[in-house]
């Protein structure tokens, strides 16, 4: 059995990945990694936690959602034993909001914990928002102390692991949302330009793609995993990303 290791988005709890995880069949083992909710850690510290939970005796795929993309890239670049492929969902290898990089020092003043989640919902969910999704998002964010969220926001604004992309030797699947208001198309373009063995699948969805279209996303990931495990990989089956972009 192949394991799919899920690295969560900005909240780091893994709570928002529940629907996506249950959309897979019994032939895929799901391992959801969670980050500390009360201890501010930078990307290096979070990567250390993720590495400790990687399977040591069986093949696996690694999925980095949004904030966790740089962690997934860094791990993949080190070529850990058993890694077969990487999935990046609405994610990035370099700060997705470069115009806000200069504001990094000001993030420590941002009132996480005071500002209601309804302020973020339009950015993360857009027209796909629903009472159930809003409640799940609010619960996940509320479980993380504000200092932790501020640390993650600062790190995302200065993230840059783009130099590591050329070291990745496994195929990449990029799940891209057509209505993503956080991460632009340039993020997937950068990754594909450095890792030719990349396939992009577009979804009609917002930034929280895995939460809005969990079944469709799971189907795309499952197909990718089957392709990689049953054949020579995408390198022998696909061209560059501009020729292998699918839409769901």
């Amino acid at each position: 059995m192949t394991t799919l290791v899920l690295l969560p988005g900005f909240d780091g709890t893994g709570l928002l990945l529940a629907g996506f995880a249950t959309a897979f069949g019994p032939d895929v083992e799901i391992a959801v990694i969670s980050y500390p909710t009360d201890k501010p850690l930078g990307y290096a510290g979070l990567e250390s936690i993720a590495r400790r939970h990687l399977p040591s005796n069986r093949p696996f795929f690694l999925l980095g959602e949004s904030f966790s993309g740089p962690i997934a890239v860094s791990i993949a670049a080190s070529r850990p034993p058993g890694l077969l492929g990487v999935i990046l969902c609405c994610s990035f290898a370099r700060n997705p909001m470069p115009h806000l990089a200069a504001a990094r020092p000001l993030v420590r003043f941002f009132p996480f914990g005071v500002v209601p989640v309804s302020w973020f919902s339009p950015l993360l969910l857009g027209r796909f928002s629903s009472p159930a999704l809003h409640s799940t998002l609010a619960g996940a964010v509320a479980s993380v102390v504000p200092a932790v969220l501020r640390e993650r926001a600062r790190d995302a604004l200065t993230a840059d692991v783009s130099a590591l992309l050329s070291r990745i030797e496994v195929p990449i699947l990029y799940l891209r949302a057509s209505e993503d208001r956080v991460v632009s198309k340039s993020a997937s373009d950068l990754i594909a330009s450095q890792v030719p063995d990349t396939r992009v699948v577009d979804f009609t969805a917002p930034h929280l793609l895995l939460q809005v279209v969990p079944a469709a996303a799971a189907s795309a990931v499952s197909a990718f995993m089957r392709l990689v495990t049953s054949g020579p990989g995408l390198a022998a089956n696909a061209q560059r990303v501009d020729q292998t972009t699918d839409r769901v």
Side-chain angles (χ1 to χ4, degrees):
M1 179 180 290
T2 303
T3 299
L4 175 60
V5 180
L6 306 181
L7 302 181
F10 186 68
D11 65 291
T13 64
L15 297 174
L16 293 172
L17 294 172
F20 174 69
T22 58
F24 287 87
D27 56 329
V28 178
E29 179 183 51
I30 304 296
V32 181
I33 307 302
S34 59
Y35 305 140
T37 59
D38 58 354
K39 183 178 181 182
L41 294 172
Y43 269 127
L46 298 176
E47 180 179 335
S48 179
I49 291 173
R51 285 183 179 276
R52 290 200 297 269
H53 290 86
L54 297 179
S56 60
N57 58 358
R58 58 190 183 280
F60 69 96
F61 287 80
L62 184 63
L63 184 151
E65 181 190 24
S66 187
F67 170 83
S68 283
I71 297 175
V73 167
S74 182
I75 291 175
S78 69
R79 304 165 190 171
L83 179 64
L84 298 179
V86 173
I87 300 99
L88 298 173
C89 180
C90 299
S91 195
F92 52 91
R94 179 188 296 160
N95 172 17
M97 297 180 173
H99 55 288
L100 295 180
R104 184 179 186 273
L106 301 179
V107 173
R108 62 193 179 99
F109 300 112
F110 193 84
F112 284 111
V114 177
V115 173
V117 172
S118 58
W119 283 27
F120 304 110
S121 187
L123 184 67
L124 301 176
L125 291 168
R127 65 185 177 92
F128 302 89
S129 183
S130 69
L133 286 172
H134 184 274
S135 176
T136 301
L137 175 61
V141 173
S143 68
V144 186
V145 301
V148 170
L149 297 175
R150 284 192 286 268
E151 179 65 28
R152 291 175 188 167
R154 284 195 295 267
D155 277 4
L157 289 177
T158 54
D160 190 353
V161 293
S162 56
L164 300 179
L165 289 169
S166 61
R167 302 182 192 177
I168 297 178
E169 296 185 340
V170 296
I172 290 180
L173 172 67
Y174 191 101
L175 308 181
R176 187 168 63 191
S178 62
E179 299 184 31
D180 194 334
R181 297 177 180 176
V182 179
V183 178
S184 69
K185 180 177 177 292
S186 62
S188 58
D189 290 344
L190 171 64
I191 291 166
S193 71
Q194 298 301 309
V195 185
D197 207 355
T198 297
R199 179 178 294 272
V200 175
V201 179
D202 284 313
F203 295 81
T204 302
H207 183 67
L208 292 186
L209 185 157
L210 299 182
Q211 293 69 38
V212 171
V213 288
S219 178
V221 172
S222 293
F224 171 74
M225 293 171 67
R226 287 194 300 270
L227 175 62
V228 173
T229 56
S230 64
L234 288 177
N237 297 294
Q239 301 299 315
R240 296 288 295 232
V241 65
D242 57 351
Q243 299 174 349
T244 59
T245 300
D246 301 319
R247 180 173 294 278
V248 174

